[in-house]
Amino acid sequence: MASMNMNTNSEYKAARLNNFEGIALTDRTYNAAIGFTVLWGAVINACMSMFLQRSILSMNYIVVLLVYFIGTIGCSLIVHKTNNVAVGFAAFTGMAASMGLLLTFYVYAFTSTSVAYALTGLVTIIMILLSMLYPNFFLSLGRTLFVSLLVCIIMQTIVGLVFHLPMRAMDYVVSLIFCGFIGYDWSRSQMYPKTANNAISCASDIYLDCVNIFIRILSISGNRRSN
């Protein structure tokens, strides 16, 4: 299964390298579009957590999970497949909103999230800067990051769900892996044709990296709300 995923990912990357459809952008505008789109997703999540928390928390958790999975996966597929900028941006917005449903529960579980927001933003900026300085190094990490994340998921499933043991150290490991993914995804974004479609598509990858780091930082540094 891992081999199939890697092959599919390689084919997808090859297709994007040759996809010049859409609005052509300058390097500066292209990178600004990626940054704006990632920031737009963060703003959606922050607003949902602040203003829609009560209504979302009143929903059935199973329903929220279903909407999250269907919305996130479905919208992500549209983002990466469409060549229409408006459709791609709308799909990214839908993906961020679906992700926001689940993030609201995470945010509510902790008494303070300001540290997690600040650290996630800082880590993202640092990793992007590092990837600009050492793009070849980060591009070489693709397979290593994928395999490492897969191993962590398997370990968490076995140790956490089966044996019900705490996996606090794993939060640090997974955070480091997704830091690497930010550098990798940014370096990879610079290889694609500088179009608005590719900017949105690359932004969705980096956005998901940031969300995973945010969740792990919450788990590491946050204080759980007492009920």
Side-chain angles (χ1 to χ4, degrees):
M1 182 64 70
S3 177
M4 291 176 59
N5 288 337
M6 289 299 295
N7 291 334
T8 301
N9 189 41
S10 298
E11 293 172 1
Y12 168 68
K13 288 190 292 182
R16 280 175 65 180
L17 285 171
N18 297 298
N19 182 12
F20 291 87
E21 295 187 37
I23 303 171
L25 305 174
T26 64
D27 289 355
R28 180 175 296 181
T29 305
Y30 175 77
N31 291 334
I34 294 176
F36 170 80
T37 306
V38 173
L39 182 61
W40 172 242
V43 169
I44 291 173
N45 296 153
C47 289
M48 290 180 69
S49 298
M50 290 175 59
F51 302 113
L52 301 179
Q53 188 175 97
R54 182 170 299 179
S55 59
I56 291 176
L57 291 176
S58 65
M59 297 173 60
N60 184 282
Y61 187 65
I62 302 300
V63 173
V64 171
L65 281 179
L66 287 174
V67 174
Y68 157 71
F69 278 115
I70 295 173
T72 302
I73 296 174
C75 289
S76 179
L77 288 174
I78 294 174
V79 167
H80 289 90
K81 294 295 184 180
T82 185
N83 286 318
N84 185 295
V85 177
V87 172
F89 189 76
F92 176 85
T93 301
M95 182 182 73
S98 301
M99 185 69 72
L101 290 174
L102 191 64
L103 285 177
T104 298
F105 282 89
Y106 278 100
V107 170
Y108 178 75
F110 296 89
T111 58
S112 175
T113 59
S114 57
V115 172
Y117 282 121
L119 286 178
T120 302
L122 180 62
V123 166
T124 301
I125 293 173
I126 291 174
M127 295 312 302
I128 288 176
L129 290 175
L130 287 175
S131 68
M132 293 171 67
L133 293 173
Y134 309 103
N136 292 332
F137 169 74
F138 283 100
L139 288 173
S140 69
L141 294 179
R143 186 177 296 272
T144 300
L145 291 170
F146 176 82
V147 173
S148 299
L149 182 60
L150 185 62
V151 170
C152 287
I153 292 173
I154 294 174
M155 287 183 62
Q156 282 191 302
T157 301
I158 295 175
V159 178
L161 297 181
V162 178
F163 296 102
H164 305 290
L165 297 175
M167 293 286 289
R168 188 174 182 82
M170 192 62 68
D171 288 327
Y172 291 92
V173 175
V174 175
S175 295
L176 289 175
I177 291 173
F178 277 105
C179 284
F181 267 119
I182 290 179
Y184 171 72
D185 286 330
W186 179 268
S187 297
R188 191 177 61 174
S189 73
Q190 304 305 301
M191 299 174 61
Y192 299 133
K194 304 299 192 295
T195 66
N197 298 326
N198 283 334
I200 296 173
S201 181
C202 292
S204 70
D205 296 333
I206 296 172
Y207 163 78
L208 291 176
D209 298 336
C210 295
V211 167
N212 279 281
I213 290 176
F214 174 76
I215 291 174
R216 297 294 173 167
I217 291 177
L218 267 184
S219 179
I220 292 170
S221 63
N223 295 316
R224 288 191 174 277
R225 187 186 300 273
S226 57
N227 294 320

